[in-house]
Amino acid sequence: MRATGQLELDSYRLAQYTVSCPCYICGGGNNFDAELCRHCYAPMALVHQANSQKIHPRMVAAIGSSGAGKTVYLGMLADMLSKGRDDLQLLARGAFSIGLQERTMAALARCEFPAKTPNEPDRWNWVHCQILRKKLKPVELILPDLAGEALLEEIDHPNTYPVIRAFLGKCSGVLVLIDALRCQAGEADEDFRAMKLLSYLCELQADKKTGWASKAVALVFTKADQCDHCFDDPQQFARRHTPGLYVQCRERLKRHAFFAAGVAGACGYRLEGRGRVHVPLRIEPRGVVEPFHWLLEEVAR
């Protein structure tokens, strides 16, 4: 009952359900109190934050095959930037935006890598944050941790995961993560999968001026701490170990750059009941911020 003594009818509350609330990612209609979009399973908190703060965040994706290290890279990146640097500072918006950082750092503290991201979109971690830049205008970003297997399933069978197609269609830039260790071992499937990802992007938006051919693409060789010469010249590493990807980038992308990154200073194997488990022996992040910094500058132009 209100202070004036008037009681609001319960039936009046139902009026709120007559107004559709569009998802920020796919644009599908939802009830005002929905937690996840019923069409693509993206958090509805994204649209509530955008409306309340009158901002329209840019979207950036981190894509790569399963096991390329997307969760470790994004979690470590969020942790490093949230603690502040001279030139970049990450401020998370909403409690859900801290889940990826928390999950990754908790696993690394136990000398484990975080578990593989589930294929179900309603279990993905999303990061909505504000990036403060020294003497420059802050940038609002949305950056989810997409499952590698779901990405490749969407490429092979389009519209299997509507959230991936809708999100990549709105992205301003992308980080393509490639397993440097597998590339150095001569496993050609990593080259093929990266080529498929880039081909999918170029087909998704084929316009030469506004499509992915002219958007920023950072290609990051992960686990480079276990193949040191990758740090010396990532572009030369790409030419030698991923020739198909190198040629595709040169011929189809106007704004791209190769980087090398590593989170674990050394790795080993631990015997458990399920067999040998790959574990980090120590944490020495190297080259983690540089690709994101480059992409941010390209996106914020």
Side-chain angles (χ1 to χ4, degrees):
M1 182 179 292
R2 295 180 177 174
T4 56
Q6 297 178 340
L7 179 64
E8 188 177 80
L9 295 175
D10 288 343
S11 57
Y12 181 77
R13 298 175 184 174
L14 296 176
Q16 297 178 84
Y17 289 94
T18 64
V19 180
S20 176
C21 181
C23 170
Y24 195 76
I25 303 300
C26 72
N30 294 271
N31 293 332
F32 77 98
D33 57 353
E35 179 183 357
L36 300 175
C37 172
R38 61 184 175 185
H39 305 282
C40 72
Y41 302 105
M44 289 301 292
L46 297 174
V47 69
H48 297 318
Q49 290 172 345
N51 291 338
S52 64
Q53 296 160 8
K54 295 182 172 41
I55 54 175
H56 296 284
R58 300 172 189 268
M59 301 187 198
V60 171
I63 61 177
S65 62
S66 179
K70 295 183 295 299
T71 301
V72 174
Y73 176 82
L74 292 176
M76 178 58 72
L77 177 69
D79 189 66
M80 293 175 69
L81 296 183
S82 66
K83 293 175 180 175
R85 286 167 47 100
D86 292 339
D87 49 352
L88 294 177
Q89 170 79 56
L90 183 149
L91 297 177
R93 290 196 182 275
F96 71 90
S97 297
I98 304 174
L100 176 61
Q101 176 186 352
E102 180 185 24
R103 174 186 166 204
T104 303
M105 300 317 295
L108 293 177
R110 299 191 302 268
C111 290
E112 298 174 356
F113 289 113
K116 185 175 67 174
T117 302
N119 289 345
E120 296 80 8
D122 58 333
R123 298 173 62 190
W124 293 351
N125 285 305
W126 291 72
V127 177
H128 178 199
C129 61
Q130 183 184 45
I131 305 294
L132 304 180
R133 302 181 296 164
K134 191 175 183 180
K135 298 181 180 180
L136 294 173
K137 188 177 180 181
V139 179
E140 295 282 337
L141 282 183
I142 293 176
L143 184 62
D145 179 23
L146 307 174
E149 291 181 359
L151 278 164
L152 294 178
E153 184 70 15
E154 169 62 23
I155 291 172
D156 291 336
H157 306 285
N159 298 314
T160 305
Y161 290 90
V163 63
I164 292 178
R165 192 174 190 85
F167 182 75
L168 293 179
K170 292 184 176 180
C171 276
S172 303
V174 67
L175 294 154
V176 181
L177 273 61
I178 309 147
D179 190 330
L181 201 57
R182 296 179 63 183
C183 294
Q184 183 177 250
E187 297 184 24
D189 58 342
E190 196 67 11
D191 189 20
F192 292 142
R193 289 169 182 168
M195 290 167 59
K196 289 171 73 175
L197 288 169
L198 288 185
S199 295
Y200 177 79
L201 291 178
C202 291
E203 291 171 0
L204 189 63
Q205 293 178 338
D207 189 278
K208 292 185 178 180
K209 293 183 178 180
T210 60
W212 277 102
S214 60
K215 291 185 179 181
V217 178
L219 300 116
V220 187
F221 287 103
T222 57
K223 308 175 187 178
D225 47 278
Q226 297 174 64
C227 40
D228 283 339
H229 64 281
C230 183
F231 278 112
D232 298 335
D233 190 344
Q235 184 166 336
Q236 183 61 29
F237 184 89
R239 179 182 294 177
R240 178 180 300 175
H241 298 285
T242 57
L245 174 66
Y246 177 81
V247 171
Q248 194 166 29
C249 290
R250 187 187 63 191
E251 298 297 327
R252 303 183 71 174
L253 302 178
K254 295 179 181 176
R255 297 160 59 196
H256 72 277
F258 290 94
F259 298 90
V263 171
C267 293
Y269 289 92
R270 184 167 61 203
L271 288 176
E272 296 184 356
R274 51 182 173 169
R276 294 201 314 166
V277 179
H278 197 218
V279 297
L281 298 179
R282 61 176 185 269
I283 306 303
E284 293 179 1
R286 181 182 176 189
V288 173
V289 176
E290 286 78 0
F292 178 76
H293 197 175
W294 176 85
L295 188 67
L296 190 66
E297 296 302 316
E298 292 291 321
V299 167
R301 277 183 179 181

